[in-house]
């Protein structure tokens, strides 16, 4: 098979040899990656490193690569939302698998392990404030994976249809078709072990309306969250809301990488509770992930 050439307009490389958004060179990326949303959380993760080899920052994308207990790890911030995950996943995959000098794919595929560590809103009684949730399947409200070929090959089409029917969204042309993707099983079990809640995760395309929050603009479906909370498929229930897991999991599957999302519950939508003081708790989750990745 003839190798594909990646033109300058498609793979944008800066004059210093770094990739366009992340400003990283291929040799600066480790095979084990912790992905966070908040750029300030990168330093919190890296505070546990035994040593650091590089620190790069551009826009909301901050990266530190270093060593932790003999493991080379990159921690990288994406900012908020699946659109940013699209940038991060495509650029780290390019860093790992495209030769920046020739603009052709590398001879050998380099698989990455990616764990997103973030915060979320719990939906069930077993996801109270402070709980750690590990995603088994992610339901994407964002529509991003629908723009990529072969999305059906990596999606759970049966649960997609069951969810559409449950929500009453069949035939609704105003809703981006939700997609459902399985987390890498081995990585999920290694990260979650026996001390995290496992469940379905909804990755919403926004923080307010898409997650059923109503301020001054009314919701299209005031019963949306109640329907989501009550959805069940083969004993799995939707444990939490967040905003990145679907794009991360879906693109990882299409690219051949391993990815999982682990979140700290900072709000419980059922109990109407929330906490903004969670630095110690997110640090506990970070250490747990660092030890298991």
């Amino acid at each position: 098979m003839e190798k594909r050439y990646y033109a300058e307009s498609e793979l944008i490389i800066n004059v210093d040899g770094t990739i366009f958004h992340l400003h990283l060179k291929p040799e600066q990326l480790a095979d084990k990656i912790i992905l966070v949303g908040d750029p300030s959380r990168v330093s919190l993760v890296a505070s546990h490193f035994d040593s650091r080899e590089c620190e790069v920052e551009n826009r909301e994308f901050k990266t530190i690569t270093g060593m932790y207990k003999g493991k080379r790890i990159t921690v990288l911030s994406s900012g908020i939302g699946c659109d940013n995950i699209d940038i991060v996943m495509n650029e780290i995959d390019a860093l790992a698998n495209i030769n920046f000098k020739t603009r052709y794919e590398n001879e050998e595929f380099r698989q990455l392990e990616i764990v997103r560590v973030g915060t979320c809103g719990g939906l069930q009684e077993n996801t109270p404030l402070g709980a750690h949730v590990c995603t088994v399947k992610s339901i994407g409200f964002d529509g991003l994976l629908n723009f990529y070929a072969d999305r059906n090959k990596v999606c759970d089409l049966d649960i997609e249809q069951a969810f559409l029917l449950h929500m009453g969204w069949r035939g609704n042309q105003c809703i981006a078709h939700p997609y459902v993707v399985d987390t890498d099983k081995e990585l999920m079990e290694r990260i979650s072990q026996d001390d995290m809640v496992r469940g379905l995760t909804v990755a919403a395309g926004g923080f307010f309306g898409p997650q059923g929050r109503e301020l001054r603009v009314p919701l299209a479906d005031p019963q949306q969250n109640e329907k989501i909370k009550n959805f069940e498929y083969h004993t799995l229930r939707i444990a939490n809301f967040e905003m990145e897991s679907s794009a991360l999991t879906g693109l990882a599957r299409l690219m051949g990488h391993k990815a999982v999302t682990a979140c700290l519950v900072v709000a419980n939508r059922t109990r109407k509770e929330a906490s903004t003081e969670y630095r110690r708790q997110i640090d506990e989750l970070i250490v747990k992930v660092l030890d298991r990745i």
Side-chain angles (χ1 to χ4, degrees):
M1 183 181 294
E2 186 177 351
K3 286 187 178 181
R4 181 179 172 186
Y5 177 81
Y6 298 94
E8 291 184 14
S9 61
E10 310 308 294
L11 173 61
I12 304 177
I13 300 174
N14 300 315
V15 293
D16 62 354
T18 61
I19 201 157
F20 187 57
H21 293 94
L22 303 184
H23 280 211
L24 291 175
K25 296 180 179 180
E27 62 269 20
Q28 293 176 315
L29 185 75
D31 290 345
K32 295 178 181 291
I33 299 168
I34 292 179
L35 197 63
V36 296
D38 184 354
S40 68
R41 200 167 290 157
V42 172
S43 297
L44 180 60
V45 175
S47 70
H48 299 286
F49 286 180
D50 302 312
S51 62
R52 303 184 188 190
E53 63 183 70
C54 71
E55 184 167 344
V56 179
E57 188 168 0
N58 181 52
R59 301 186 185 185
E60 61 266 61
F61 309 110
K62 181 175 180 178
T63 306
I64 298 176
T65 296
M67 297 296 295
Y68 176 82
K69 295 183 178 179
K71 296 179 287 190
R72 186 171 183 252
I73 298 173
T74 291
V75 54
L76 165 64
S77 63
S78 67
I80 296 175
C82 284
D83 51 346
N84 278 9
I85 295 295
D86 185 58
I87 292 172
V88 169
M89 286 299 294
N90 276 283
E91 293 201 353
I92 63 174
D93 178 68
L95 288 164
N97 290 298
I98 297 176
N99 186 309
F100 277 29
K101 294 181 180 179
T102 67
R103 292 184 169 271
Y104 288 98
E105 283 186 42
N106 295 330
E107 291 290 341
E108 294 185 8
F109 173 70
R110 178 182 168 195
Q111 187 181 59
L112 304 173
E113 281 188 358
I114 308 150
V115 181
R116 177 177 125 65
V117 177
T119 57
C120 69
L123 282 168
Q124 306 294 340
E125 290 297 328
N126 69 335
T127 54
L129 298 184
H132 295 169
V133 180
C134 194
T135 300
V136 176
K137 295 175 186 279
S138 183
I139 304 175
F141 285 6
D142 53 281
L144 187 141
L145 211 67
N146 299 330
F147 288 89
Y148 288 90
D150 296 329
R151 63 84 83 192
N152 284 1
K153 292 182 180 179
V154 301
C155 288
D156 188 327
L157 303 182
D158 290 338
I159 193 172
E160 280 184 18
Q161 292 305 312
F163 185 74
L164 281 169
L165 181 63
H166 176 81
M167 295 298 295
W169 286 355
R170 279 186 174 175
N172 187 339
Q173 300 301 312
C174 295
I175 299 286
H177 194 294
Y179 58 95
V180 182
V181 189
D182 287 315
T183 289
D184 182 85
K185 185 177 180 181
E186 184 279 325
L187 186 60
M188 183 268 294
E189 291 183 346
R190 188 186 347 143
I191 296 299
S192 64
Q193 296 190 15
D194 59 357
D195 55 8
M196 294 189 190
V197 177
R198 300 183 186 185
L200 305 174
T201 294
V202 164
F207 185 76
F208 290 94
Q211 295 187 37
R213 289 186 174 93
E214 182 177 320
L215 297 184
R216 294 186 61 248
V217 181
L219 298 174
D221 181 1
Q223 303 304 314
Q224 174 184 299
N225 277 20
E226 193 65 24
K227 294 176 186 176
I228 292 171
K229 176 187 172 184
N230 293 332
F231 179 72
E232 186 171 345
Y233 188 83
H234 292 176
T235 74
L236 281 174
R237 304 193 76 178
I238 296 174
N240 59 327
F241 271 125
E242 51 85 78
M243 296 175 65
E244 290 85 19
S245 63
S246 57
L248 170 64
T249 306
L251 288 173
R253 290 286 303 276
L254 288 173
M255 294 170 176
H257 303 303
K258 304 173 74 170
V260 70
T261 294
C263 285
L264 169 72
V265 176
V266 298
N268 185 280
R269 306 301 300 284
T270 300
R271 299 182 182 183
K272 308 295 184 184
E273 298 173 341
S275 171
T276 58
E277 301 295 326
Y278 52 79
R279 180 184 169 91
R280 179 186 59 79
Q281 292 173 306
I282 196 71
D283 196 38
E284 291 173 355
L285 178 57
I286 287 167
V287 172
K288 189 179 290 186
V289 170
L290 281 168
D291 286 336
R292 296 173 183 179
I293 191 172

